[in-house]
Amino acid sequence: MKRISQLMFGTFFLASSSFAMAAVKIKTVEYKKGNETFEGFVAYPENAKGKLPGVLVIHNWMGVTDETKTQATRIAEQGYVVFAADIYGKGIRPKNAEEAGKLAGQYRGGDRKQFREHLQLGLDTLKSQAGVDASKLLAAGYCFGGTGVLELARSGADLKGVISFHGGLDSPAPADGKNIKAKVLALHGADDPYVKAEDLAAFEQEMRESKVDWELIKFGGAVHSFTEKGAGNDNSKGAAYNALADARSFEAFKNFAKASL
């Protein structure tokens, strides 16, 4: 199924979740690749029994922060084992937007080989967590991480679905779309100034030509970072929290996740 949905502010029904909200435990996880050390965390329902679907969460350009924990926790509350991966490496955390831009740029540059390697390492670490059903895996990312989960899908990763929240939709190698096995959901602020119209069009074309099962949902009145309360509420800055887009995008995530698994 391929569809593009335009959601404007107005009457909108938020379907109730079939999952009961669960208390969540969080545990730091240190993992390695050669001489490199990474530090993420796993979040899971406290009273979970048996194996649960797993969700890989990829952070925004600031690295693993309290914002990452907020997003990972609310996903885990829905009945998932969540692993929040660390793309940058242990102790490598930008202090401000300028540092974040430079660091993220190292991974988002023309050759995304290292980006894909660190993403795959995170996915492998998720698979190794106790209580994860490795046959039911999703990946969700925010901003920089939204670009990341799409890149992971383009690498041919074995995932049921990927969800990009206000992520970059450009690709240096759109032909790699043919490698995508997962269903794709892109949640996009309709007024996001950081996603060029030509990149949005190229993303749609890539999905079509690659015959991917994909959805693009645009939220009217929303700009970049619409799920992040710390972004403030001034749309003129290009990045701002939007409560309606946040709530609606999370409902879309929940419905897509259940359908994909």
Side-chain angles (χ1 to χ4, degrees):
M1 178 185 68
K2 306 174 182 70
R3 67 181 177 88
I4 304 174
S5 301
Q6 177 78 30
L7 296 183
M8 301 301 293
F9 291 133
T11 303
F12 186 84
F13 176 73
L14 296 181
S16 60
S17 171
S18 62
F19 291 110
M21 299 290 276
V24 170
K25 282 192 172 182
I26 292 178
K27 180 178 67 176
T28 299
V29 176
E30 190 173 284
Y31 58 109
K32 295 180 180 291
K33 175 181 176 289
N35 294 324
E36 295 180 279
T37 302
F38 302 85
E39 187 175 77
F41 65 86
V42 62
Y44 57 95
E46 186 174 18
N47 298 318
K49 295 181 181 179
K51 291 188 177 296
L52 298 175
V55 181
L56 176 69
V57 166
I58 306 299
H59 55 74
N60 63 21
W61 70 348
M62 296 303 293
V64 178
T65 63
D66 287 342
E67 174 64 27
T68 317
K69 289 186 178 180
T70 296
Q71 303 299 350
T73 297
R74 72 171 179 170
I75 292 174
E77 286 173 343
Q78 304 303 312
Y80 300 98
V81 176
V82 177
F83 179 65
D86 172 16
I87 300 302
Y88 295 156
K90 184 176 180 179
I92 302 175
R93 300 291 182 264
K95 296 181 178 64
N96 51 48
E98 183 180 0
E99 288 187 9
K102 289 179 181 178
L103 189 55
Q106 294 176 22
Y107 292 89
R108 291 196 57 194
D111 183 0
R112 296 184 176 179
K113 181 175 182 291
Q114 185 182 41
F115 200 5
R116 291 185 179 188
E117 288 175 352
H118 289 193
L119 290 160
Q120 183 61 50
L121 181 63
L123 181 60
D124 292 341
T125 305
L126 169 64
K127 291 178 182 179
S128 72
Q129 299 306 305
V132 172
D133 182 345
S135 69
K136 296 180 178 181
L137 300 176
L138 304 168
Y142 299 80
C143 299
F144 167 79
T147 304
V149 296
L150 292 173
E151 205 61 27
L152 182 61
R154 290 176 178 122
S155 75
D158 192 11
L159 293 160
K160 295 297 185 183
V162 298
I163 306 94
S164 170
F165 289 86
H166 42 80
L169 302 178
D170 62 302
S171 173
D176 286 351
K178 68 181 184 300
N179 300 322
I180 296 176
K181 302 173 183 176
K183 296 178 181 178
V184 171
L185 173 61
L187 301 165
H188 176 65
D191 298 332
D192 187 338
Y194 298 114
V195 176
K196 297 177 182 178
E198 54 265 37
D199 288 338
L200 189 61
F203 168 77
E204 295 177 26
Q205 188 64 20
E206 176 189 358
M207 296 297 105
R208 291 190 188 97
E209 291 183 351
S210 301
K211 295 181 172 55
V212 176
D213 185 342
W214 66 286
E215 297 178 59
L216 169 64
I217 302 178
K218 300 178 185 179
F219 298 99
V223 292
H224 200 62
S225 302
F226 59 77
T227 65
E228 300 180 15
K229 292 182 179 179
N233 57 11
D234 185 354
N235 274 18
S236 70
K237 294 182 178 180
Y241 178 67
N242 184 301
L244 282 173
D246 183 20
R248 291 169 177 173
S249 64
F250 196 62
E251 284 298 318
F253 161 80
K254 290 191 291 184
N255 293 333
F256 176 84
K258 285 185 284 184
S260 298
L261 296 171

